[in-house]
Amino acid sequence: MSPRTTPRRAFLALALGAPVAASLAACGDSGPAGSGGGGAKNAAATMWILTGQPAEGIRTDAVNAFNKANPDAQIGLSSFQNDAYKAKIRTAIGADQAPTIIPTWGGGGLRDYVKNGQVEDLTPFFADNAALKDKLFASAFGAATVDDKIYALPCENVSPIVMYYNKKLFQQVGAELPTTWDDVMALVPTFNAAGIAPFSLGGQSRWTNMMWLEYLYDRIGGPELFTSIYDGQPDAWSQPDSIDALTKVQDLVKANGFVKGFASITADSNADQALLFSGKAAMMLHGAWTYGSMKSDGGDFVTGGHLAYSTFPTVTGGKGDPANTVGNPAGYYAMSSKATDEAKTAAKKFFAEGVVTDATTKAWAASGSVPVVTGVDSQFAGSDDADWLTFVYDLASKAPSFQQSWDQALSPTQAEALLDNIEKLFGLSVTPQQFADAMNAAV
């Protein structure tokens, strides 16, 4: 997930970015977070978060610490798995039963909330809390801004999409890490011949497939290609560069570039990550947020130096800058406009004092994530993850274009059509032109 002066182009002009964690494991309602903080059973405000460690623990600790320090402004916490949350929040908001504090990815979804009067204008809040605003990456405000007004708090971590490699498997087949798309395609038969899946992919989740198109569209057509789609230009999906990108991803599928049965593998269970660190797949394209879970769940895969990473390979003749990246500029929290004044007061106090603290900044960095805090790279020295953190910080901060994830940039209706058609594209049930025609009609 980025800044904004207009609701259309600003998310493409990012210098920095990140997602609210999308690699999730548990599900359900955790109940009040007050067991360690006291008083949350009688919460003035409610908050929903996404599950999955280490992010869930950091969020829960932040709420508990705030509740302990603010007995008169308690936050009641519930947690939900990624896909379950997306369904539940739509229902809750439509019924005017949203939590006070609403996780959002910004972009098109947030614009819909604003259009329907469902979220609070936080511009006055940031005017009163200028020090907090200055503390955060300026570029992270783009996806939080609609018509020059800020409707969400950027927070947590910046997460570009990264190419991960299992170095042991590359050594096993005597191959070098790919730097071009031609390299990628040449590696596919090499790994298949060795009984190793070239790429892991949690295709059942669909948004994981989308990351491939985001990068191929950028590398082939540059960020202007998706801008034309986002701006609703007629037949934008049918442009030659678009068809080229769609064709290349199907070439990879047809060459058995992805693990067998990828369409049945879910990212919510972290099964795709396990294929990489267990040695069943050589490569994986995924968000920067997966580093922390691979470190915690993958044995010595990370700590033993078996993990390598890079940005997406170049495409010969492509128009995109090799330094461009895609992903999410920050985690975001909006505030329900339907909440009581008491709940809004508690939520604003939490936004001001409990979300971006020294403790949360250290915790996000310790988890292998780059917090959306200006100058945080000065704290990386001495960390076991210093090389990784510096890589992510530089990738995000130096990118000429940081393209927001498409399912977040587009409206929810368009995003759902996109995910449905991407599933068909990867399943080879539609041609590139049929995909383009369907998306032109949806836009």
Side-chain angles (χ1 to χ4, degrees):
M1 316 171 192
S2 332
R4 180 188 216 117
T5 52
T6 70
R8 288 193 176 273
R9 286 196 57 97
F11 74 91
L12 291 171
L14 308 178
L16 293 169
V20 64
S23 138
L24 311 167
C27 80
D29 187 338
S30 69
S35 57
K41 290 181 180 179
N42 299 313
T46 53
M47 177 178 178
W48 291 3
I49 63 170
L50 299 182
T51 59
Q53 299 299 346
E56 182 182 4
I58 298 172
R59 295 166 183 146
T60 302
D61 288 347
V63 172
N64 284 338
F66 177 82
N67 284 345
K68 185 175 182 180
N70 296 275
D72 296 326
Q74 299 282 282
I75 307 292
L77 186 66
S78 296
S79 58
F80 302 91
Q81 199 175 47
N82 186 26
D83 291 341
Y85 167 77
K86 290 177 180 177
K88 189 172 181 67
I89 193 63
R90 284 195 296 268
T91 301
I93 287 180
D96 288 341
Q97 295 178 350
T100 314
I101 299 171
I102 305 170
T104 172
W105 289 265
L110 183 63
R111 285 195 303 277
D112 273 11
Y113 292 164
V114 173
K115 178 181 178 181
N116 294 311
Q118 294 160 332
V119 290
E120 192 84 354
D121 178 5
L122 295 179
T123 309
F125 166 81
F126 282 106
D128 294 337
N129 293 274
L132 172 64
K133 189 171 187 291
D134 291 344
K135 188 176 183 179
L136 303 172
F137 290 158
S139 59
F141 282 89
T145 305
V146 179
D147 295 334
D148 298 324
K149 294 182 179 180
I150 303 170
Y151 288 91
L153 169 70
C155 57
E156 301 190 349
N157 57 313
V158 53
S159 290
I161 305 304
V162 175
M163 190 73 88
Y164 296 100
Y165 310 96
N166 186 320
K167 291 198 293 186
K168 288 197 295 186
L169 299 183
F170 274 81
Q171 293 165 0
Q172 180 179 322
V173 301
E176 299 293 327
L177 302 185
T179 59
T180 68
W181 184 254
D182 290 340
D183 292 342
V184 168
M185 294 303 294
L187 283 170
V188 169
T190 299
F191 282 113
N192 278 327
I196 300 166
F199 286 97
S200 177
L201 180 65
Q204 184 176 324
S205 298
R206 302 184 303 171
W207 54 263
T208 48
N209 303 3
M210 179 183 65
M211 296 185 290
W212 283 91
L213 284 185
E214 289 170 347
Y215 260 126
L216 282 169
Y217 270 58
D218 176 86
R219 293 296 188 261
I220 293 170
E224 295 78 13
L225 179 58
F226 186 67
T227 299
S228 67
I229 293 167
Y230 187 72
D231 286 344
Q233 293 182 15
D235 298 325
W237 286 98
S238 298
Q239 296 175 77
D241 286 342
S242 173
I243 299 299
D244 187 10
L246 296 168
T247 301
K248 279 184 167 54
V249 82
Q250 283 202 331
D251 289 343
L252 184 57
V253 174
K254 292 174 182 177
N256 296 317
F258 297 108
V259 63
K260 185 178 180 180
F262 69 85
S264 300
I265 298 172
T266 173
D268 278 357
S269 66
N270 293 345
D272 48 357
Q273 301 174 38
L275 290 170
L276 182 73
F277 63 66
S278 67
K280 294 180 174 62
M283 298 172 280
M284 180 178 71
L285 184 67
H286 219 310
W289 60 88
T290 60
Y291 177 91
S293 52
M294 287 194 290
K295 182 180 178 182
S296 62
D297 299 339
D300 69 345
F301 178 62
V302 173
T303 58
H306 306 305
L307 172 68
Y309 40 81
S310 73
T311 189
F312 196 82
T314 61
V315 175
T316 302
K319 303 170 186 174
D321 191 314
N324 290 347
T325 193
V326 304
N328 310 290
Y332 295 96
Y333 287 107
M335 185 184 306
S336 173
S337 61
K338 310 299 183 181
T340 65
D341 289 342
E342 179 189 17
K344 290 178 182 178
T345 297
K348 288 176 182 178
K349 186 173 180 63
F350 179 61
F351 281 2
E353 302 175 7
V355 180
V356 185
T357 67
D358 289 344
T360 59
T361 297
K362 290 177 181 177
W364 284 112
S367 76
S369 299
V370 173
V372 291
V373 175
T374 302
V376 71
D377 56 323
S378 65
Q379 301 181 25
F380 297 162
S383 168
D384 292 341
D385 302 306
D387 289 346
W388 162 255
L389 295 171
T390 300
F391 165 76
V392 172
Y393 188 92
D394 289 347
L395 177 62
S397 64
K398 297 178 181 179
S401 169
F402 192 132
Q403 188 176 124
Q404 187 185 17
S405 295
W406 291 357
D407 59 344
Q408 298 156 21
L410 295 171
S411 72
T413 300
Q414 292 174 348
E416 186 59 30
L418 173 66
L419 294 175
D420 283 345
N421 283 289
I422 281 178
E423 185 176 26
K424 295 173 184 176
L425 183 79
F426 275 70
L428 304 180
S429 63
V430 297
T431 65
Q433 188 60 57
Q434 288 171 330
F435 174 95
D437 291 344
M439 288 310 303
N440 284 333
V443 174

